[in-house]
Structures are given as C-alpha cells and as structure tokens.
C-alpha cells in the first residue's frame, strides 16, 4: 500500500480503512486529496485481503467539502477537477470509482457540502452522536446537484430539498438523520470506530462474490425502473445458480446453517417423478394456505407453522390460485396476508434445496416468472400484509410487494441471502423503491447478522402501523381492511395501477401515465354515486371493479 499525504490507508482484519487526514482544515478536499482518493479507492478495491472498507475522518470533522481557496491556487488542477464535475466524472467517492466492495461511512463529525458525496455514496452509514449534516452550496452562490440527487434516491425527499434550499442555516443532527434513514446507526463518539469495524467484520464474513453481486444489483436499481432492475438481477441470480458446483455448495451451506445434515449422494439412474401441475381454477383444498373471507376482507394465511411458514413447492403452487381466487371474487374488496404461528415467512424450505429445485428456480429466473405475491399476479385490490413474526429471506417478497404493511411489535426482518452465498436482489430491489436505501443495503450486505426490528421498520416507513401482539394484529388488519373496503373498488384499482406504475418511470412520464388512470374514472357510475351518497348521508353503493386482463 503506497503512502499518502492527505489520507491514512490501512488494513485491519480484512477491513480497509480510508481516513481523511486534514484535521486542521476540517478534512476539506484539496487538490492532493482529490487525486489521492481515486488511487486509494482503487487500491482497496483491488486488494484481495480487503473485504469491506470504512471511510472516516481524522479529528472532529468528517469532511467539510471543497477547500476552495487552496484548490484555486493550482489552476491546472482546478481545471482538471472542474472538467470532471462538468462531465459527471468525479472520482471522490467509492461509487465514483466503481468500488463494488461494501463501503461503510463512519461519520465522526460535521459533514458539509461535497463531503456528503462520501456519505450518500456509501452502502452503510454509522454516525457519532456528535455528527451533523449541512449543505451550504446555495449560500455561497453554487447550485446543489450531485450530492442531493443521490440522496434523493436513497432517503425522503423533503429533508433533502430542505437542506439543499435552506443552505447553511439548515443542519441535520445525527439523530434526525437516523430517523430519516440516512444513517443506520448512531453511537457515542468514543464507540464509532469500534461499531464501524464490528459491522465491517460482519459484512466481511459473507462470501465476497455474493456481496459484490448484491451490491451491483441494488445500486443498479437506482438507475432503472423496477421491472428492468428485477429482470437484470434475475439474470445475475440465474448465472450464479447455473455456475459450476453452485448447486451443491449453496445447498450444503444452507443446510448447515439450518442444522440439517448433508448426506453425500450417489448418482442413481431412476425415472423422473411425474410433473406436478395445479390449475389456477382448481377446487382442490389448500394444503399450505388458509383462504377465507371475513365480510369484505379476504384472508390468505401461511399455514406451515411447524416450518416457520417456509414455502415449499406445494405452497408456491397455491399462491397464484389464492390471489386469483380472491381478486376475482366481487364480494372481496381488500386482501390481508399473514402467517400462523410465530413466523410470517421464513423464506424457502431448505428441505427442498436439491439440484432439481435449484434448476427449477434458475428456469424461473430466466423469464422472471415469479408467481408468489400480489404484485407478481397483478392483483388490483388493496393488499395488506400483517407481519406476525419473523420475516426472513424470500419472505420479504410479500412485504416489498404489499400496498400496506402492518406488524406486531415482536416481528423482525432479516435477509440471510449473502450469508449463504446467494445474491440479495429481487426482494431488496423492490424494498429500495419504498424505504430509505441505507437500511436495505445494510440488511442485504450484513446478511444474517443484521435483524431489523419492527420498531426500526416503522421508523423508516417499511411498516405503516405497529400492533402490540400478533392476536391484536389480526383484529387491526381486519378493521383497516373494512375501512378500505368502503371506498370505490374501481377507483382503488385505478389508483394502484397509477402508483405502482410510477415505480417504473421517471416523474414526468409517471404523471402522464397517472393522468390516464385518473381520467379512466371519468364517466364511471361510481363518480356520480360518491357525491350523491355523501349528500344523502348514506353509504355509497359501488359497482364491482373489472379485473385487469
């Protein structure tokens, strides 16, 4: 590792440390530091001993942006960095430099202006309680763009635009940044380095190729619409599944983690089992799900409590039939999905992880032909997911694809994909559209070592309502479902199409598409019935919604 003038770069237990080292100048960027950052990021990403990287600052500040006075003294360097700014070819952060190892920002103090690059472009952010965030660009006659644009993709918009437009008069505290999801953990200043190192070690314990592929998929999701991001991620997953020896290694590791013995198999020539088929219109009883109606609310209940509701081939086959049945029923206005027992859903059943099922999964990825959730099945009715307990791995599909999420306070969320050598992508890409990206990246890259509590999920907007116990959760979900059921089914279906469609497009195109959904209700009988019922002080009588073909 080469020596640097403005940085301290070291490696400790597989964790690379990049420390900005101009404490007397608030760790502001000068020309030398700007040049060294690109070299340091590149070296750490190329070092095979480094499996995670922490960036922090020496002294009391993290980074106070550009040292304009010093940079202006070197005209050639200033022109070089100005061209990079103009041409969107910055080389300050890990993202700018194409670093695909996981990066943790350990924010020890003030972050100002250009220093925000290093925070918003990190995967995981841990902050000292003394840290704060400010963007003074407009206060010194400069436009805010790069840092705030990335922040907009990863955290709530109002806080970003407020900080950008108020300028130096608006300072976000570490606690507020945590509440907004910009920061994932706040610690005492003395504990910051230890906390960052501990998290980095947890990430570094996971298979590097799985972590790297997961990071690529999630950051790519910030560039494109939901369906395109999922399609590209599915290609990545399929390629890994089909790679040499992948079937055996993944299956073995999952079974070992689950405490299931792996018995060496001797190849035996035997006839293929009969292909299992299940018609969408089958009247056969459900084996793994409970499907029922409670007034205008339809319920789908995962019913393998002895297996923590992990889904097997039978449950996978039953989901599309259940969603279609309830979406086609005109008496059902809202659908609630929950689980029996102490888990909502523990992902895929490890007992099924043999070569045949893995190949079946690879085939599904080839066409992105998942048929598990309401979104996969194009369900137009409002869907409430009521998370009664642990939600792990593939179980996150249903949370990410729901319209409304409620949870018992004892519920928790964990994504162990990378910890068993798999790519975290499909579920987490969908979550990235709905909650602050830092929390999703943290859960995806730390893997089984990161468990998101129901309280934290509520703070970042992943869950909209907390209920004390799983028993009360069902009552609350039914109550909310009955409230929603009082609305126009056709208006709700058009609204869902507009809002979910907006995740596929840019703002202007999404508004144009939304306008078409809005005007689709013009002339509909419900548009006359609503005002008339209100004036007559009675409940409206809505027409059943037509199902989308």
């Amino acid at each position: 590792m080469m020596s640097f003038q403005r940085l301290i770069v070291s490696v400790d237990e597989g964790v690379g440390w990049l420390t900005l080292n101009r404490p007397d100048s608030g760790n502001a960027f000068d020309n030398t530091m700007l040049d060294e950052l690109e070299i340091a990021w590149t070296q750490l990403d190329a070092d095979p001993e480094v499996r995670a990287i922490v960036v922090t600052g020496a002294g009391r500040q993290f980074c106070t942006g550009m040292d304009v006075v010093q940079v202006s003294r070197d005209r050639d360097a200033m022109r070089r960095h100005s061209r990079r700014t103009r041409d969107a070819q910055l080389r300050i952060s890990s993202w700018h430099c194409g670093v695909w190892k996981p990066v943790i920002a350990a924010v020890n103090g003030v972050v100002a202006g250009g220093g925000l690059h290093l925070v918003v472009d990190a995967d995981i952010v841990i902050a000292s309680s003394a840290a704060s965030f400010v963007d003074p660009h407009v206060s010194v006659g400069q436009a805010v763009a790069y840092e705030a644009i990335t922040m907009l993709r990863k955290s709530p918009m109002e806080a970003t635009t407020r900080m950008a437009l108020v300028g130096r008069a608006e300072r976000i505290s570490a606690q507020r940044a945590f509440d907004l999801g910009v920061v994932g953990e706040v610690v005492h200043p003395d504990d910051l380095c230890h906390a960052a190192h501990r998290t980095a070690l947890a990430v570094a314990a996971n298979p590097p190729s799985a972590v790297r592929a997961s990071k690529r998929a999630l950051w790519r999701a910030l560039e494109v619409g939901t369906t395109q991001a999922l399609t590209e991620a599915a290609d990545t997953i399929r390629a890994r599944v089909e790679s040499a020896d992948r079937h055996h290694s993944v299956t073995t590791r999952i079974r070992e983690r689950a405490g299931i013995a792996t018995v060496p198999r001797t190849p035996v020539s035997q006839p293929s089992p009969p292909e299992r088929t299940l018609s969408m219109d089958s009247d056969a009883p459900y084996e793994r799900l409970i499907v029922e109606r409670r007034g205008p609310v339809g319920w789908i209940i995962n019913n393998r409590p002895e297996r923590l509701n992990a889904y097997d081939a039978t449950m996978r086959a039953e989901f599309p039939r259940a969603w279609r049945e309830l979406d086609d029923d005109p008496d059902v206005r809202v659908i609630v999905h929950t689980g029996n027992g102490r888990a909502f859903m523990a992902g895929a059943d490890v007992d099924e992880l043999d070569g045949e099922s893995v190949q079946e999964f690879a085939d599904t990825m080839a066409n992105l032909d998942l048929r598990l959730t309401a979104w996969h099945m194009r369900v137009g009715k409002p869907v409430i997911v009521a998370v009664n307990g642990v939600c792990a791995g593939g179980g996150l599909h249903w949370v990410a694809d729901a319209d409304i999420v409620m949870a018992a306070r004892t519920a928790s969320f964990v994504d162990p994909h990378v910890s068993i050598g798999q790519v975290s992508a499909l579920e987490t890409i969908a979550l990235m559209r709905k909650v602050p990206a830092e929390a999703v990246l943290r859960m995806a890259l730390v893997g089984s070592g990161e468990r998101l509590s129901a309280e934290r999920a509520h703070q970042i907007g992943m869950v909209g309502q907390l209920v004390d116990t799983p028993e009360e959760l069902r009552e609350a979900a039914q109550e909310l479902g009955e409230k929603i059921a009082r609305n126009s089914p056709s208006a709700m279906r058009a609204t869902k199409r507009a809002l979910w469609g907006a995740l596929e497009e840019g703002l202007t195109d999404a508004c144009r598409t939304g306008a078409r959904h809005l005007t689709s209700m013009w002339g509909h009988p419900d548009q006359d019935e609503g005002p008339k019922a209100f004036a007559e002080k009675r409940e409206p009588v809505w027409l059943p919604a037509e199902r989308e073909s």
Side-chain angles (χ1 to χ4, degrees):
M1 195 75 67
M2 67 173 283
S3 60
F4 297 90
Q5 297 179 51
R6 300 290 190 264
L7 305 173
I8 300 173
V9 179
S10 61
V11 179
D12 181 13
E13 296 182 287
V15 178
W17 283 80
L18 193 163
T19 304
L20 311 181
N21 192 32
R22 294 188 74 212
D24 295 338
S25 301
N27 293 318
F29 304 129
D30 64 1
N31 291 318
T32 302
M33 183 184 286
L34 289 170
D35 289 336
E36 289 182 347
L37 278 168
E38 181 178 7
I39 298 169
W41 285 121
T42 302
Q43 287 189 352
L44 288 170
D45 199 35
D47 188 338
E49 293 184 12
V50 174
R51 300 179 71 166
I53 304 170
V54 178
V55 58
T56 191
R60 296 188 301 115
Q61 281 83 34
F62 176 76
C63 180
T64 54
M66 190 72 70
D67 187 336
V68 180
V69 175
Q70 197 280 337
V71 170
S72 65
R73 292 173 183 161
D74 185 339
R75 293 294 180 181
D76 289 339
M78 187 175 184
R79 279 192 289 270
R80 182 171 70 255
H81 293 299
S82 294
R83 281 195 299 271
R84 286 184 169 182
T85 300
R86 180 196 65 197
D87 299 336
Q89 294 181 347
L90 296 173
R91 294 293 184 270
I92 296 171
S93 72
S94 54
W95 183 66
H96 297 154
C97 296
V99 173
W100 294 114
K101 289 178 179 175
V103 174
I104 300 166
V107 185
N108 54 300
V110 174
V111 184
L116 290 165
H117 279 297
L118 298 168
V119 175
V120 300
D121 291 352
D123 304 305
I124 296 170
V125 184
I126 303 173
S128 155
S129 56
S132 61
F133 306 81
V134 60
D135 191 345
H137 279 96
V138 295
S139 299
V140 293
Q142 293 184 317
V144 180
Y146 287 115
E147 305 91 335
I149 286 171
T150 306
M151 194 169 173
L152 278 173
R153 292 288 190 275
K154 300 179 69 180
S155 55
M157 181 171 180
E158 194 278 343
T160 303
T161 53
R162 181 185 180 98
M163 184 167 66
L165 297 177
V166 177
R168 64 161 62 110
E170 177 73 11
R171 190 175 292 263
I172 296 180
S173 68
Q175 184 59 49
R176 177 60 177 155
F178 175 78
D179 294 340
L180 292 167
V182 176
V183 167
E185 184 179 1
V186 177
V187 299
H188 188 277
D190 294 341
D191 297 330
L192 179 64
C193 288
H194 174 73
H197 194 69
R198 180 192 66 235
T199 301
L201 288 176
V203 174
N206 298 318
S209 61
V211 170
R212 198 176 190 92
S214 298
K215 176 171 174 172
R216 281 183 179 273
L218 292 174
W219 278 89
R220 176 60 179 163
L222 300 179
E223 307 278 359
V224 297
T226 302
T227 299
Q228 183 178 340
L230 291 172
T231 301
E232 293 178 9
D235 289 341
T236 299
I237 294 170
R238 178 176 56 82
R240 286 179 59 81
V241 168
E242 292 179 343
S243 63
D245 299 324
R246 181 66 58 185
H247 297 177
H248 175 72
S249 63
V250 171
T251 303
T252 300
R253 188 173 303 196
I254 293 173
R255 287 174 168 272
E256 287 173 350
R257 291 250 179 187
I260 298 173
T262 301
V263 179
R265 299 186 177 188
T266 303
V268 177
S269 176
Q270 55 183 335
S272 300
E275 188 173 314
R276 185 182 188 280
T277 60
L278 179 60
S279 167
M280 285 269 197
D281 300 320
S282 172
D283 292 326
Y286 292 95
E287 298 178 42
R288 301 290 192 259
L289 301 175
I290 297 173
V291 178
E292 58 188 24
R293 283 89 168 155
R294 303 177 191 175
V297 182
W299 283 75
I300 297 176
I301 303 171
N302 305 327
N303 193 35
R304 297 188 74 207
E306 74 285 355
R307 299 291 297 170
L308 299 180
N309 293 318
Y311 59 83
D312 60 1
T314 301
M315 186 182 281
R316 285 198 304 273
E318 290 181 350
F319 268 119
R321 181 159 65 101
W323 289 118
R324 184 62 60 86
E325 176 185 326
L326 293 178
D327 202 31
D328 284 346
D329 187 340
D331 293 327
V332 172
R333 300 276 184 87
V334 182
I335 304 171
V336 175
H337 180 205
T338 191
N340 271 340
R342 60 192 179 91
F344 170 74
M345 169 75 74
D349 190 332
V350 295
D351 274 349
E352 281 205 329
L353 293 174
D354 54 22
E356 183 179 338
S357 64
V358 171
Q359 185 57 51
E360 179 185 338
F361 177 68
D363 294 341
T364 299
M365 290 298 99
N367 302 307
L368 193 60
D369 189 28
L370 293 170
R371 292 169 176 261
L372 300 173
T373 72
W375 184 74
H376 297 155
M377 295 302 299
R378 299 169 67 88
V379 171
K381 292 175 180 177
V383 173
I384 301 169
V385 162
V387 185
N388 54 295
V390 174
C391 179
L396 292 168
H397 275 299
W398 286 270
V399 173
D401 291 353
D403 303 307
I404 296 169
V405 182
M406 309 170 68
R409 291 187 184 276
T410 53
S412 61
F413 306 84
V414 61
D415 186 0
H417 279 96
V418 296
S419 299
I420 53 176
Q422 295 182 310
V423 177
S424 173
L426 301 182
E427 305 89 337
T428 43
I429 283 173
L431 281 175
M432 289 266 278
R433 291 291 187 271
K434 302 174 73 176
V435 298
E438 195 277 345
V440 180
L441 283 159
R442 183 185 185 100
M443 185 165 60
L445 299 180
V446 177
S448 58
E450 177 73 12
R451 190 174 291 264
L452 196 70
S453 69
E455 186 68 37
R456 181 58 177 156
H458 184 251
Q459 286 177 331
I460 62 175
M462 185 168 153
V463 169
Q465 181 180 350
L466 294 180
V467 181
D468 286 339
T469 68
E471 293 73 26
E472 293 172 306
L473 177 67
R474 293 200 181 187
E475 295 175 10
Q478 178 70 23
E479 181 181 353
L480 179 59
E482 291 176 0
K483 288 179 181 178
I484 295 171
R486 298 173 63 186
N487 300 321
S488 161
S490 297
M492 290 193 292
R493 192 175 285 266
T495 298
K496 271 194 68 165
R497 286 198 298 266
L499 295 180
W500 281 91
L503 300 180
E504 306 284 355
E505 302 176 301
L507 178 60
T508 300
D509 288 339
C511 287
R512 289 194 180 106
T513 303
R516 291 196 292 272
H517 293 304
L518 186 153
T519 56
S520 72
M521 288 298 294
W522 291 3
H524 191 285
D526 282 3
Q527 236 186 2
D528 294 327
E529 172 64 10
K532 185 178 179 181
F534 179 79
E536 296 174 358
K537 298 182 179 179
R538 62 173 174 79
E539 287 293 315
V541 180
W542 308 116
L543 292 180
E546 294 183 6
R547 196 185 195 285
E548 187 177 290
S549 59

